[in-house]
Amino acid sequence: MSALTSLVRSTIGKKVVMGLTGLIMVGWLVLHTTGNLLIFAGQDAFNHYAHFIQSGFGVEPQLLWLMRIALVIAVGAHIWAAVGLTARNRSARPVAYAGGRKDAATTYAARFMMGAGVVLLLYVAFHLAHLTVGAFSDHPVMPTTFSKVDAYANLVHGVGVPFVGALYILANLALGAHLYHGVGSGLQTLGADGPTWTPLKARLTLWVPLFIAGGNLVIALTCMFGVGVLIDAPDPAWVSPH
Amino acid sequence: MKLDSRAPDGPIETAWDRHRQAIRLVNPANKRKYHVIVVGTGLAGASAAATLAQLGYNVSSFCFQDSPRRAHSIAAQGGINAAKNYQNDGDSVFRLFYDTVKGGDFRAREQNVYRLAQVSVNIIDQCVAQGVPFARDYGGLLANRSFGGALVSRTFYARGQTGQQLLLGAYQALSEQVGAGKVKLHSRTELLDVVLVDGKAKGIITRDLVTGEVKRWAADAVVLATGGYGNVFYLSTNAKGCNVTATWRAYKKGAGFANPCFTQIHPTCIPVMGEHQSKLTLMSESLRNDGRVWVPKQPGDMRRPRDIPEAERDYYLERIYPTFGNLVPRDVASRAAKRMVDEGHSVVAGGAGVYLDFRDAIKRLGHDVVSDRYGNLFDMYERITGDSPYETPMRIYPASHYTMGGLWVDYNLMTSVSGLYAIGEANFSDHGANRLGASALMQGLADGYFVLPYTIGDFLAGEKAGFNDTAHAAFDEAERNVKGQVDRLLGIKGKTSADVFHRRLGKIVWDGCGMARTKESLGKALTEIPALREEFWSDVSVPGTGADLNQSLERAGRVADFLEFAEVLCRDALTREESCGGHFREEHQHPDGEARRDDVNFQHGAVWGYEGEGNAPTRHTEPLDFRYVHPSTRSYK
Amino acid sequence: MKVNLRIWRQKGPDAPGAFQDFSGVEVVPEMSFLEMLDEVNRDLEAKGQEPVVFDSDCREGICGSCGAVVDGTAHGPGRQQTLCQLHMRSFQDGDTITVEPWRAAAFPVVRDLMVDRSAFDRIIQAGGYVTARTGSAPDANAVPIGKPEADAAFDAATCIGCGACVAACPNASAMLFVSAKSGHLGLLPQGQPQRYSRAEAMVQTMDGEGFGGCSNHGECEAACPKGIGVSYIARLNRDLLRAASGAASK
Ligand SMILES: Cc1cc2nc3c(=O)[nH]c(=O)nc-3n(C[C@H](O)[C@H](O)[C@H](O)COP(=O)(O)OP(=O)(O)OC[C@H]3O[C@@H](n4cnc5c(N)ncnc54)[C@H](O)[C@@H]3O)c2cc1C
Ligand code: FES
């Protein structure tokens, strides 16, 4: 058997899949969050950014689809590997410790990976329906009409709804936890260790979730409680397509 | 009993080469037709099994632990000797040979010891090639330390875990052969008898420790690498499972048992703390490289050690033995400690102990160097006693540690039973009356890697290959005996755990035949042992059945053998009317308390032969001849 | 002082098990945990009852025979020690102590606290060695090894194969064990020729034995009596990736 097939078949192969796909998604999330933060630069900047993405990064609209497909595959593979490994891990300990097993090193984040993963999956579905597809136009979830062009307004109004905002907050807490264990774990699986990588890994483990989940949390909180700050001069130009 | 040592005559330097030329060989293509049983997976057994398999023989390997890697050798701490002379301090094969013969107090066969010193250098090469991580200096070359009884630095070590690293090397080599199908491994399996067909060892009877199944195994030759019998003292530094069963049952099948009274007491162990104690922990001898042994000059001085001023301390080893100081051989150091304690200088309230102090070493070398050398030993000590040796001196006292005696073997390592070999601590060969530190690992690996795999060919070449007749009447009988003993033990249904009998036996043997022996103490032991044995056979409690996992039964079987063996041990000590090495008869000492050897009457190996149930064993002798190292009074002053 | 014990009793791998209670067991603080179990067993034997079955041999933390989960922790409270090194001074008068075996599909219970760890042996048999025929070795000093590499190899080589890593891991994974051997041999020049094939073979066997996968909880490192760190796991992963990408054969 070649080294590659043997790796793919091993548990470690599945973990490498998890690690690689995880890192792809982290990369996407960093971009996405950076873009989201443009909300603080005003409606104009934010909507231009949204258009930039929709136009396939200003290059070719198909690119967006390519990226979406890549992300779907990453998510699918991530889930496939996770389910396989979890099933395996369950069967590796068929009888639990009757007197309990005390955790000595692991974190809640690590223990909650599967749970957080499921939460995130549901959240992504809702989020896409909510702010990408616009499935809830004029619905209490999206109190205004969903606009195809004013992504800024969609976000501000959509997330400004208290229980929706709360949902985003919860989901991002789960995301933070998932990343807190996932980033370090993925890097470890990919063999990142040593005088350069060990400290870097520790820093990334902290800063990546802080940036992504923290950034989104700030946005959600602002939409909920600081709308005034955001929409102080709504630009009529974005009300209808130009 | 025929005791032909088969040791080659002529110049000792070429003896081993000439012998290898002279013995018969098995044709490489025929080796795979032979099947060899190796019992034991310690350094000796694992190295032998791996090497035999590499040579092409089919091997079955047995051990009572759940994995071969757990053999008692794993616990050796200090190091392994080899005449590499990497330190350029004047070491040589001859010097290692000389030190070993002298250290053994002139009770070992010269040719065997010379061969041991010769192959010692190959051992280090072999182990390094296997990936044994010996200590190295900053230049990347191998480091050495010195050990008791030597004036050169020739001990290779791997922190305080040398035995572990060497055993893992041998275990891995063995595992490779298991993976290749050349070795069949039988863990959790205990040898309970050796089977002789027409006077030759052709198989064994075992009990599967999980299922209780008693099974027969046939082979063309049998190798016992089952370790020493130090647990006859109950409290010893040996692992709990160490036993005399394999060698004792071989003895009952006709293999001579040599020099059982040569037992080694190790000077640096953690003192006994209470009744509950199940074993004693060794603090490696290497500690004596940098630690200084002392007691308060004033008997009964129970001040804290730090409060005792320099002038009121007696560094008695440095005082009595200025040349070797703290590095005198083990027997000398042990007896000196006993003398100090007997004179009232013990540093353990209500018990026995002396100090081993690192204050000066820490001052001289710094905390880091000391911790690099001995860190894990210090931690081990602190874990057990709750005291940190960085801050307060260790308290130590001698304890049973190693047994030089064992099955008598010839130069080929064959016992007095044809086709039955004994290697490692299980034989009596190389250490005479006292073993030098770091020489047991050397001997185990020499036997297993470099001696037995060649010498066994001499026997096999004369045998028709592929003996597998387990239906032979000899197997029937051996199996019947084994099952008979199991049933007998289960049938007693007494009230006392075998462990309790073991502890009582240990006390009798320690008091009667421990660090110092007298005619009276031995006589007393020799009346107490049979009485205890009788009590055992009427009151031991072995719950459960034989056809099942039964640890009570395992323990009881081993204690039953110790109860028989202890008598031969004391008998040997009683007959050897001299003091030599680890055998110290108080009647035979110089006015200054040093041992007095009797070369006129006792320059021989004493070999005990079994004469049947209820009969006294017979004592045979193998005279020893010293042509290269002339017997002198050992002096380390 | 007195303690109460809840000890797992189980006849065989497929038999049902249950806790047996022993109350008011008399102990002294200097006793080791196993010596305390010895006392319990001596009493049971004196009453003609079968003793609690457990493995132990060296009783000084080096052979790797002993092990049980005590109050939820592999080898009991306290870091970097084996069960045989645990002393009763770690407990208080009146404590109730729960003792159960390593639990993992790859380590079936043999009896009571004794489990079958032969899967570890099979992993080593698959590749955990350096092929070096007896007698063929060059001089030991022919290849100098820098102290840092020698030390790192040594740290990994201290593994005693007790199985606490598997017992403590929420996934019952054996990655620390495998990576320790792969790290020990893979860091030394003598181990280079088989470095990648060794890693692959051991991982394949590990998976075949039914251990779980590593999800980087770090429980193994915390439970390891020798303090072997998870960085060896990263190293093993790296070796496997390198082998798979073909970089290893270049
Ligand atoms: C604490 C300690 C430290 C030591 N330190 C050193 C040191 O630094 N340097 C040194 O040179 N020496 C040292 N020694 C001595 C040395 O470790 C031993 O003499 C040596 O390891 C013995 O090896 P062996 O292969 O002969 O037997 P062992 O390692 O004792 O192996 C015996 C084997 O036989 C098997 N066995 C026994 N009985 C049976 C049976 N009935 N059925 C089936 N299998 C059986 C066991 O399972 C085991 O595999 C030390 C000893 C102790 C106790
Ligand atoms: S009994 Fe050997 S490690 Fe505990």
Side-chain angles (χ1 to χ4, degrees), chain C residues 134-151:
Chain C
T134 303
S136 61
D139 185 81
N141 257 347
V143 186
I145 306 176
K147 201 170 183 309
E149 292 85 69
D151 281 350

Side-chain angles (χ1 to χ4, degrees), chain B residues 557-578:
Chain B
R558 292 174 193 159
V559 175
D561 289 336
F562 275 130
L563 279 163
E564 293 179 4
F565 167 75
E567 213 177 319
V568 177
L569 166 69
C570 294
R571 204 181 277 268
D572 188 44
L574 186 63
T575 359
R576 194 171 274 280
E577 290 278 0
E578 64 164 349

Side-chain angles (χ1 to χ4, degrees), chain B residues 171 383 497 499 541 552, chain C residues 42 45 89 111 121 131 139:
Chain B
Y171 158 73
R383 203 164 276 140
S497 157
D499 211 37
S541 163
S552 307
Chain C
R42 278 192 280 264
E45 284 179 336
R89 58 173 167 265
R111 174 77 57 90
D121 285 330
T131 299
D139 185 81

Side-chain angles (χ1 to χ4, degrees), chain C residues 139-208:
Chain C
D139 185 81
N141 257 347
V143 186
I145 306 176
K147 201 170 183 309
E149 292 85 69
D151 281 350
F154 200 113
D155 288 341
T158 55
C159 168
I160 58 173
C162 62
C165 46
V166 175
C169 173
N171 310 336
S173 168
M175 276 296 276
L176 190 64
F177 172 78
V178 172
S179 70
K181 187 45 63 196
S182 145
H184 160 207
L185 299 176
L187 276 156
L188 294 170
Q190 289 80 6
Q192 292 311 307
Q194 291 161 300
R195 174 166 166 190
Y196 299 100
S197 57
R198 174 185 310 120
E200 274 165 30
M202 286 199 293
V203 166
Q204 237 175 60
T205 309
M206 170 188 84
D207 283 348

Side-chain angles (χ1 to χ4, degrees), chain B residues 7 50 79 85 99 109 153 194 210 226 258 262 284 292 301 333 340 342 352-353 376 408 477 500 502 516 561 596 627:
Chain B
N85 193 29
D99 286 348
R109 200 186 288 145
S153 255
V194 178
V210 176
T226 50
F262 289 164
S284 170
R292 300 178 69 194
D301 185 347
M340 291 300 135
D342 288 349
N376 67 325
W408 180 88
E477 197 209 320
V500 172
H502 195 174
D561 289 336
R596 184 161 55 212
R627 299 197 187 157

Side-chain angles (χ1 to χ4, degrees), chain B residues 51 54-55 64-70 72 74-75 77 84 86 124-126 128-134 136-142 158-159 161 164-165 168 171-173 175-176 178-179 185 187-188 210 234 237-242 273 276-282 372 380 382-386 449-450 494-500 503 541 543-545 548-549 551-552 555, chain C residues 11 28 30-32 35 38-39 41-42 44-60 62-65 79-81 85 87 89 110-111 114-118 120-122 124-126 128-148 150-155 157-162 177 181 184-185 188 190 194 226:
Chain B
T51 305
Q54 286 169 6
L55 286 171
F64 66 76
Q65 291 92 345
D66 68 327
S67 164
R69 66 181 292 153
R70 309 202 201 285
H72 164 61
I74 200 92
Q77 301 171 353
K84 279 284 197 186
Y86 282 159
I124 303 303
D125 298 344
Q126 180 61 30
V128 167
Q130 291 169 340
V132 171
F134 284 120
R136 290 177 184 268
D137 55 30
Y138 283 93
L141 300 177
L142 291 160
R159 294 191 195 154
Q161 291 146 262
Q164 179 198 26
Q165 294 309 318
L168 291 181
Y171 158 73
Q172 286 161 201
S175 295
E176 181 178 14
V178 175
L185 188 62
S187 305
R188 291 205 200 274
V210 176
Y234 184 67
T237 62
N238 288 15
K240 285 299 280 175
C242 291
M273 307 280 185
H276 57 267
Q277 198 125 357
S278 62
K279 75 157 282 179
L280 295 172
T281 303
L282 174 82
D372 199 47
M380 193 189 233
E382 184 168 0
R383 203 164 276 140
I384 294 172
T385 61
Y449 283 133
F450 296 109
K495 292 260 163 298
T496 308
S497 157
D499 211 37
V500 172
R503 195 159 61 193
S541 163
T545 72
D548 196 1
L549 188 155
Q551 289 187 323
S552 307
R555 285 190 283 261
Chain C
K11 266 279 180 190
V28 291
E30 297 81 48
M31 251 181 187
S32 76
E35 285 166 351
D38 287 345
E39 289 293 343
N41 280 346
R42 278 192 280 264
L44 285 172
E45 284 179 336
K47 285 187 268 178
Q49 293 169 17
E50 291 187 36
V52 176
V53 171
F54 62 91
D55 271 317
S56 86
D57 204 18
C58 73
R59 300 216 171 176
E60 50 187 64
I62 193 74
C63 74
S65 294
R79 289 230 161 177
Q80 295 199 11
Q81 67 180 11
Q85 292 175 308
H87 280 71
R89 58 173 167 265
V110 176
R111 174 77 57 90
M114 178 192 276
V115 298
D116 177 358
R117 288 169 291 197
S118 53
F120 272 8
D121 285 330
R122 289 187 289 276
I124 300 298
Q125 287 155 16
Y129 47 77
V130 172
T131 299
R133 276 187 77 86
T134 303
S136 61
D139 185 81
N141 257 347
V143 186
I145 306 176
K147 201 170 183 309
D151 281 350
F154 200 113
D155 288 341
T158 55
C159 168
I160 58 173
C162 62
F177 172 78
K181 187 45 63 196
H184 160 207
L185 299 176
L188 294 170
Q190 289 80 6
Q194 291 161 300
K226 300 294 144 184

Side-chain angles (χ1 to χ4, degrees), chain A residues 1-4 6-7 9-12 15-16 85 88-107 110-111 181 184-194 198 201, chain C residues 8 19 69 71-73 79 98 100-105 166-172 175 200 203-204 206-208 210-219 222 230-231 233-234 237-238 240-241 243-244:
Chain A
M1 202 180 329
S2 85
L4 187 61
S6 99
L7 176 70
R9 286 191 196 165
S10 70
T11 46
I12 297 176
K15 284 163 41 54
V16 168
L85 281 171
R88 189 191 170 85
N89 293 346
R90 293 257 157 86
S91 66
R93 162 128 339 108
V95 184
Y97 285 103
R101 192 192 61 79
K102 260 197 214 106
D103 285 340
T106 189
T107 55
R111 302 290 280 146
H181 180 71
S185 183
L187 288 171
Q188 164 91 359
T189 300
L190 296 175
D193 189 78
T198 304
K201 194 163 60 177
Chain C
W8 187 260
F19 283 108
V69 169
D71 287 340
T73 304
R79 289 230 161 177
T98 307
E100 52 189 323
W102 291 167
R103 294 191 190 276
V166 175
C169 173
N171 310 336
M175 276 296 276
E200 274 165 30
V203 166
Q204 237 175 60
M206 170 188 84
D207 283 348
F211 292 101
C214 167
S215 48
N216 305 313
H217 289 285
E219 290 292 318
V230 292
S231 74
I233 297 183
N237 291 336
R238 203 157 59 227
L240 290 168
L241 283 172

